[in-house]
Amino acid sequence: MQNPELLSPAGSWERLEAAVLYGADAVYLGGEQFGMRASCGNFDAETLPLAVTYAHARGVRVYLTCNTLPSCDEADQLPAFLRQAAQAGVDALIVADVGVLRLARELVPEIPVHVSTQAGIVNHLTAGALYELGASRVVLARELSLGEIRKIREKIPPQLELEAFVHGAMCMSFSGRCLLSQYLNGRDANRGDCSQPCRWRYRLVEEKRPGQYFPVGEETKGSYILNAKDLCMLEHLRELSEAGICSFKIEGRAKSAYYVAAVTNAYRAAMDAEGGEPPPWALEEVRKVSHRAYDTGFYFGQPGQYPQDSGYIRDWEVAAVAESWQDGLLYVTQRNRFFAGDTLEMMVPHSAPKTLAVEAVFDPQEGRVDDAKRPMGRYALPCPFPVEPDWMLRKRIQR
């Protein structure tokens, strides 16, 4: 592999820390405006420069999303937003609108511009035209096959970088351009406020038989004809690299820090492994986060985004986050309840997880206790191996 970039989501400060700690080369995050994830914590005028400083100090690049399709009134606010991004020191802007691209090149020419997957780039003509307008990278449409990506790479300037999604949720609409959420409840997906109605259950109602709901398919709980499986290309990174992809993008700015940590760690391990073959533990890692059934999308041709017939698969959860380790005692902040006698897994950056048997739980206020039950409480556990701050501990969910 030719040292491609691992690009991880950072929807909040905690997710930023997780992405950096577990191996991202770059992160993408949003400001208070113009981002496609309105529900995230995001970063304001005060925290954005701090986030950039934090990432840069650890050798990680920061890309700022500006990838909504702004109205005329919103467009008038863009100059201030772009200048704020420049002052914060971001490494690139991610845009979807040609007008925004042009404005960015005029106002902040020192910042490279990446064109978002929202632009629906499916051929070399569009990619080349965007390069002529000033784009340094394009994020390809998720509907492309590896063969189509190779053709694009062959016919565009070598300086133009290609980025593609390798992991995360898939949208049944073309490259995420969807009006369903806006039609059903007034929340515009193209401004980052999608309510995900494609994940809802649907049944058929005949006009003259109100209240009688008929299943569209054979699934007894209803039809999920719009609910796509999740993308996972962990075992195909070499093929993506050989097709010309220089940046592997993980979806999930709205997902948890645990998701960011586990998935980033798995892809980092695969990219660092000889030949790009993921170690067995990395293949397990992506199955220990909340996810739908995995698929390879359109990369190997049709049918692409298979409908998924149920909700998330979720078998693990974060139990605690490490604060410090000293003299065989691990101090942690509790995230979910755990007990003496539990077996936890320590998520080690750039490495396989370690097993930790919880022999005892110590509460600084009460001494030895049977369980860690105080939300966000501080506890101490016997631990035979050194642990660094912010490493996560997880436990299997008992059903």
Side-chain angles (χ1 to χ4, degrees), residues 61-82:
R61 295 176 291 279
V62 176
Y63 306 150
L64 179 66
T65 60
C66 185
N67 55 347
T68 58
L69 303 178
S71 65
C72 288
D73 290 339
E74 291 169 333
D76 291 339
Q77 302 170 37
L78 275 166
F81 179 87
L82 295 174

Side-chain angles (χ1 to χ4, degrees), residues 205-228:
V205 179
E206 198 276 325
E207 181 181 7
K208 296 181 180 179
R209 293 174 174 80
Q212 295 186 38
Y213 302 99
F214 302 96
V216 177
E218 295 182 2
E219 225 293 322
T220 57
K221 295 181 180 179
S223 173
Y224 295 86
I225 57 175
L226 300 174
N227 187 34

